[in-house]
Amino acid sequence: MLASLRYPAYRWLWLSNLSASAGRWSLVFILGVQILDLTHSSFWVGAGLFLTQGPVVLLAPFSGVLADRFDRRLLNSASCALSALVTGSFALLNALGLLALPLLLALCLLFGVSFVLQMTLRSTLVPSLVPPRDLLNGISLSQVGTQGAEFLGPALTTPLLVAGGPVLAWSFCALLYVCATVLCLPIGVTKASAHSGPVGHGVGHSFQYLWARPVVMTIVVAVALHCSLTMSFQGMLPMFVSNDLHSSAATYGGLLTSIGLGAVLGSLTLAHFSERRYRPALFMVSLVGSGALLALMASFQALPLVFSAAFLVGASQAMFMSMSLALIQSSVDDHFRGRATSVYQMITLAPMAVLGWGMGGVADVIEPRPVMIVMGTLFVLAMGLYLLLSPWLRRLLGAEGWRGGVTVTGPGLVGTVV
């Protein structure tokens, strides 16, 4: 289960990732509470969260080029340092009583720049630090840190916010990013492998590269649907807790904690059952579960049932995202991994950011509960239709679809499956 942790450089990355991700989810929690208190509007909560991810639309291709040309470790540390500066500024402005909505949104945008860089760089570092046979295990364990921090960040930050207010909570968030900055440095210089052929840097060239790998494009479309419909509910989650569950900020933090704890279990389960024979079943369970469980979570009234469903939502979503990312990372060349990953981030994070903002606005007009139920149900229906239309997606429901380096030909199937 912990095979990738045998490699020292990977251990440093894992610890850095855990600290940065805990900072990220602490920020999501504090922002949700603070913006809702400031504006009493779920629309502005969604807007703030959008700005923490929205720069992916413009910056993802640029971050991919940087990852393919420079030291990925150093760039990741620099982006974590920028996040530390932003979250420290939140703490200072709160302490001085100067934090107004326009300034808050500007800091959200600056944080979004650092977050996009981190997402691309961390994804490209993992395949450089573990051998191909351990790639799914390495990515799964990284998701234990990334998604599991959804549990750790709010769990640590909630009592700080309740007892000490936003200054203490933001200061702790900044400290997490300082730790992430320092922990990444011992990895050592990590650059993309040299490539003597022509290399294109534009978005069009990146899409052309991915289009030549049909299994990659298939999974990118699936993840785009997944992020759009099942992971864009963050903007309306504070209002869901307030209006539908009639509860407090502590419940909101507890809900994020349950989702994160489920993500830990889902990622650990995938790390343990990472052999090819288990992948089709796990892929199918996570595919259906991501939508169906979200609808169930939204439909429950009793808090114990909501928390239980949230736990399973986190588990299914983490498994689906880990398997998808591993498939993409193992299907591209190292000299193009940064640009391929950046396009993947752009296609997946951008819809989640935009729809998350839109769903936040919708929650001001319509109760979040029915919207979340519809979103989860739509994802299950959309993936059922996609399975009927895509032979490549259907192939991933069988063991042959996960076989490395096999060239497949046949009706509607031309390319290499990894």
Side-chain angles (χ1 to χ4, degrees):
M1 181 187 296
L2 306 177
S4 298
L5 292 175
R6 295 194 305 260
Y7 310 104
Y10 177 84
R11 288 199 298 270
W12 285 114
L13 176 64
W14 192 90
L15 291 170
S16 175
N17 176 42
L18 175 66
S19 187
S21 298
R24 153 74 179 166
W25 286 109
S26 295
L27 175 136
V28 169
F29 168 63
I30 303 168
L31 270 182
V33 172
Q34 200 160 29
I35 296 177
L36 192 61
D37 285 345
L38 188 64
T39 66
H40 305 288
S41 169
S42 192
F43 171 83
W44 288 113
V45 174
L49 295 180
F50 166 78
L51 291 173
T52 66
Q53 302 178 92
V56 70
V57 177
L58 297 176
L59 294 181
F62 177 68
S63 68
V65 172
L66 290 177
D68 287 338
R69 299 183 65 179
F70 299 103
D71 181 3
R72 293 167 177 171
R73 175 275 322 244
L74 190 59
L75 290 172
N76 189 53
S77 286
S79 62
C80 288
L82 179 57
S83 294
L85 177 63
V86 172
T87 50
S89 298
F90 272 119
L92 179 61
L93 291 169
N94 271 282
L96 297 175
L98 299 176
L99 190 65
L101 183 62
L103 190 54
L104 184 148
L105 295 177
L107 287 174
C108 287
L109 179 61
L110 187 57
F111 176 86
V113 173
S114 67
F115 177 66
V116 170
L117 291 170
Q118 289 167 51
M119 289 292 289
T120 300
L121 292 161
R122 289 202 298 256
S123 296
T124 56
L125 275 166
V126 174
S128 301
L129 303 180
V130 300
R133 69 177 181 275
D134 291 327
L135 182 58
L136 180 58
N137 179 268
I139 288 178
S140 299
L141 290 179
S142 291
Q143 289 299 309
V144 171
T146 302
Q147 302 292 342
E150 191 172 351
F151 151 71
L152 182 63
L156 295 174
T157 309
T158 298
L160 295 177
L161 181 65
V162 172
V167 175
L168 183 59
W170 280 120
S171 299
F172 176 69
C173 186
L175 178 62
L176 288 171
Y177 273 111
V178 170
C179 291
T181 301
V182 175
L183 288 168
C184 191
L185 294 174
I187 290 173
V189 176
T190 308
K191 293 185 176 181
S193 59
H195 180 63
S196 58
V199 178
H201 299 301
V203 176
H205 186 85
S206 298
F207 273 106
Q208 183 181 11
Y209 178 90
L210 296 178
W211 190 259
R213 290 154 178 79
V215 69
V216 176
M217 286 305 300
T218 297
I219 206 67
V220 163
V221 173
V223 173
L225 289 169
H226 181 265
C227 291
S228 299
L229 295 173
T230 74
M231 298 184 73
S232 58
F233 65 91
Q234 295 288 348
M236 63 172 61
L237 201 55
M239 192 68 80
F240 171 70
V241 171
S242 176
N243 286 9
D244 292 313
L245 300 181
H246 308 290
S247 197
S248 63
T251 299
Y252 173 49
L255 196 57
L256 287 179
T257 299
S258 295
I259 294 172
L261 188 59
V264 171
L265 180 63
S267 298
L268 285 174
T269 300
L270 186 58
H272 182 69
F273 296 102
S274 59
E275 297 177 32
R276 189 179 300 119
R277 58 188 170 130
Y278 298 120
R279 296 177 192 176
L282 290 173
F283 185 72
M284 187 62 181
V285 168
S286 64
L287 190 72
V288 175
S290 292
L293 291 166
L294 175 63
L296 276 177
M297 182 186 80
S299 65
F300 289 141
Q301 300 281 347
L303 285 181
L305 292 177
V306 173
F307 283 121
S308 298
F311 177 88
L312 295 175
V313 166
S316 60
Q317 290 185 350
M319 289 174 63
F320 181 83
M321 295 299 289
S322 294
M323 297 187 77
S324 300
L325 183 57
L327 192 63
I328 290 171
Q329 290 287 2
S330 62
S331 302
V332 299
D333 302 309
D334 187 56
H335 71 271
F336 210 90
R337 185 165 278 128
R339 278 157 291 172
T341 302
S342 68
V343 170
Y344 165 77
Q345 303 291 2
M346 182 173 62
I347 292 176
T348 55
L349 284 179
M352 186 164 62
V354 172
L355 286 174
W357 184 8
M359 291 302 101
V362 169
D364 284 339
V365 181
I366 306 173
E367 282 194 6
R369 187 188 303 277
V371 178
M372 291 166 65
I373 292 173
V374 169
M375 288 164 61
T377 304
L378 275 178
F379 176 72
V380 175
L381 295 175
M383 293 311 298
L385 179 61
Y386 194 21
L387 278 169
L388 292 175
L389 298 176
S390 172
W392 282 102
L393 189 61
R394 290 198 301 273
R395 191 169 182 81
L396 293 176
L397 301 183
E400 186 68 21
W402 298 88
R403 186 176 300 279
V406 177
T407 300
V408 182
T409 59
L413 293 172
V414 180
T416 302
V417 183
V418 177

